[in-house]
Amino acid sequence: MRMHIRLSFLRAAGLSVHKLPERLEVPDGLPRDGTLRKVLKYGLRERFSPS
């Protein structure tokens, strides 16, 4: 789905213009631990940090 389609959906849902995301990334999977399958927040930070 293209970004402008997603943004128009958010606007139609009532989201204010200043709250619209500048970018939107949809990952294939989330980093999870091996036992409880919880999402690893530090793994998300490493993946999506602007470094």
Side-chain angles (χ1 to χ4, degrees):
M1 193 180 301
R2 296 203 167 145
M3 183 68 169
H4 71 281
I5 295 172
R6 291 181 180 153
L7 290 177
S8 62
F9 170 78
L10 294 173
R11 285 292 301 138
L15 192 66
S16 298
V17 175
H18 70 280
K19 293 187 177 184
L20 290 174
E22 294 178 11
R23 69 177 190 186
L24 183 61
E25 296 185 29
V26 181
D28 291 333
L30 298 174
R32 296 183 181 267
D33 70 351
T35 56
L36 298 175
R37 304 292 297 152
K38 290 186 175 183
V39 175
L40 300 174
K41 293 180 185 176
Y42 67 86
L44 289 174
R45 285 186 208 106
E46 290 173 357
R47 185 187 295 180
F48 295 109
S49 67
S51 55

